[in-house]
Amino acid sequence: MMDFEALAQPGIRGLRAYDPGHDLVALRRAAAAPLLELGSNENPYGPSPRARLAAIDALAAAHVYPDPLGGDLKRALARHHGVEAAQVLLGNGSHEVLMQLAQVFAGAGDEVVAAQYGFAVYALAAQAAGATLRLAPALPRDHAMPRGHDLDALRAAITPRTRLVYLANPNNPTGTWYSGAAFEAFLAAVPADVLVVVDEAYAEYVDAPDWASAVPLLARHPNLVVTRTFSKAFALAGLRVGYALAHPGLLAVMERVRESFNVNTPALAAAEAALDDTGHLQASVAANRAQREALAAALRARGVAVAPSQTNFLLAEFGEATARIEAGLRARGVILRPMGGYGLGDCLRITVGTADDNARLLAALDEVMA
Ligand SMILES: Cc1ncc(COP(=O)(O)O)c(C=O)c1O
């Protein structure tokens, strides 16, 4: 037997692959009725009809390679964010960009700092790059932002070996956020040669007055990188488009390892059309907000602790009954995301569905909890 583990690079040995949750295709096949899939923070309202049409039209050119520069989408994003097109790097989802950041800027002997209960990809990116991951403890469970990022702890975890810090605002899986003012103070205290990556995958959903995007800080902080995605509020998860905004020089270095055609033609076209359809985005975000607040209230009324969320999901605490409740819901065709991989075995992450989805979830939950 070949020992492939021994052949792998040191950072890859012993690494656990990203856990995408349940095998939904297998569950769908086995289910008697359509499942209610609330495990992956997808957008139940679907993409802009204009984005769908753009993707379909783009298929006519499926025999030629996509634009390797993604020029049209980059220019549209640059206009949207008030930056230069050279400050935009496109990725096959923001997952790719997050992995590439560690690949390019961290290696053996370097440290990467991330938060306890931060998005799982940061740890994966650091370890795959061969760097050492330092996890800063999260805020306590009884904090106003339960298990959210503790910016002081993140700052304290930075050492002379630190190359990269990953934060998410708002964070997955906690749904929590930190204020713009707190982040500015944090950034001012980080050494200038440490790259700070702020993952704003859920930014379009946010309406908390104290939240602020890190994008305007790019002009003053060349060590800042902001990542965004079309997978969440723009509802294009299946097409895989994400991007980073950063200093042109930083992105020019990252370009060296980018697969030339990493974003395909329908995805480029759909993302550009989706960005332009602000009415659709706003309707989707407003519907999510109303349902998120209603679902959080309904769960709390049932005695379930729910963290405040500025996203399209809720982190809900079910305590010792968590595994039983998750399995009971699954038996009723309702799929939530178990959180054991995050060290949150007493919680389930629930994507906020439509009003009908949430009614079905609550009815199933009442049966299981009875
Ligand atoms: C915080 C966060 N960042 C990044 C991603 C990756 O998204 P994508 O690769 O679809 O852009 C996700 C997906 O769930 C996420 O929750």
Side-chain angles (χ1 to χ4, degrees), residues 25 58 61-62 84 136 166 168 175 226 228 269 275 321 355 358 361:
V25 174
E84 301 294 321
Y166 285 103
V226 182
R228 293 272 184 119
L275 191 65
N358 293 338
L361 162 68

Side-chain angles (χ1 to χ4, degrees), residues 18 40-41 92-96 98 119 121-122 168 170-172 199-202 227-232 237 240-243 313 349:
Y18 177 75
S40 298
N41 301 345
N92 193 263
S94 57
H95 188 138
E96 184 184 53
L98 292 165
F119 183 47
V121 166
Y122 316 145
N171 182 49
N172 174 16
D199 177 347
E200 296 187 350
Y202 299 92
T227 64
R228 293 272 184 119
T229 182
F230 282 92
S231 298
K232 306 299 175 185
R240 315 301 304 126
V241 194
Y243 57 99
F313 62 85
R349 197 190 62 198

Side-chain angles (χ1 to χ4, degrees), residues 90-365:
L90 300 179
N92 193 263
S94 57
H95 188 138
E96 184 184 53
V97 173
L98 292 165
M99 294 295 289
Q100 250 178 44
L101 280 159
Q103 180 193 358
V104 173
F105 295 108
D110 297 331
E111 290 178 357
V112 172
V113 168
Q116 180 189 19
Y117 311 131
F119 183 47
V121 166
Y122 316 145
L124 198 60
Q127 290 165 288
T132 302
L133 176 73
R134 278 173 73 94
L135 276 187
L139 294 168
R141 180 177 166 269
D142 59 0
H143 191 275
M145 292 292 156
R147 303 173 172 122
H149 286 3
D150 180 340
L151 296 184
D152 292 334
L154 280 158
R155 169 70 193 88
I158 294 173
T159 75
R161 287 174 179 262
T162 307
R163 311 298 336 129
L164 213 55
V165 183
Y166 285 103
L167 306 89
N169 197 26
N171 182 49
N172 174 16
T174 56
T176 53
W177 66 100
Y178 52 76
S179 74
F183 180 69
E184 277 205 53
F186 167 83
L187 194 56
V190 172
D193 61 350
V194 174
L195 299 187
V196 176
V197 180
V198 181
D199 177 347
E200 296 187 350
Y202 299 92
E204 294 84 4
Y205 284 119
V206 175
D207 67 339
D210 63 339
W211 183 90
S213 170
V215 172
L217 301 174
L218 287 168
R220 276 187 284 136
H221 296 274
N223 61 329
L224 177 63
V225 181
V226 182
T227 64
R228 293 272 184 119
T229 182
F230 282 92
S231 298
K232 306 299 175 185
F234 290 104
L236 291 172
L239 288 186
R240 315 301 304 126
V241 194
Y243 57 99
L245 302 173
H247 189 280
L250 186 156
L251 296 186
V253 177
M254 286 187 69
E255 269 292 331
R256 297 173 193 169
V257 299
R258 185 181 65 82
E259 191 271 305
S260 335
F261 305 107
N262 61 335
V263 186
N264 66 62
T265 310
L268 288 169
E272 200 184 335
L275 191 65
D276 198 44
D277 194 347
T278 47
H280 184 84
L281 176 72
Q282 281 164 9
S284 198
V285 165
N288 173 71
R289 183 170 305 138
Q291 290 310 315
R292 183 182 65 214
E293 297 319 313
L295 181 60
L299 289 167
R300 290 184 184 122
R302 286 162 173 79
V304 179
V306 178
S309 169
Q310 284 285 297
T311 65
N312 66 341
F313 62 85
L314 296 169
L315 186 68
E317 273 185 51
F318 292 93
E320 288 182 354
T322 303
R324 186 181 63 77
I325 287 173
E326 194 275 328
L329 289 172
R330 187 151 31 92
R332 288 163 176 78
V334 179
I335 313 298
L336 305 186
R337 180 64 73 89
M339 289 281 104
Y342 279 93
L344 293 168
D346 60 341
C347 295
L348 295 170
R349 197 190 62 198
I350 309 174
T351 305
V352 176
T354 64
D356 286 352
D357 293 343
N358 293 338
R360 181 174 161 195
L361 162 68
L362 290 168
L365 187 62

Side-chain angles (χ1 to χ4, degrees), residues 26-38:
L27 290 177
R28 281 175 205 144
R29 263 189 209 126
L35 299 175
L36 176 55
E37 298 177 16
L38 300 175

Side-chain angles (χ1 to χ4, degrees), residues 17-80:
Y18 177 75
D19 172 14
H22 292 296
D23 180 349
L24 289 170
V25 174
L27 290 177
R28 281 175 205 144
R29 263 189 209 126
L35 299 175
L36 176 55
E37 298 177 16
L38 300 175
S40 298
N41 301 345
E42 292 146 343
N43 180 338
Y45 303 103
S48 152
R50 279 150 59 181
R52 284 185 212 201
L53 286 178
I56 291 167
D57 282 351
L59 286 174
H63 59 297
V64 295
Y65 283 103
D67 173 8
L69 304 176
D72 287 341
L73 179 57
K74 277 190 195 168
R75 280 184 289 275
L77 285 167
R79 276 194 302 278
H80 181 75

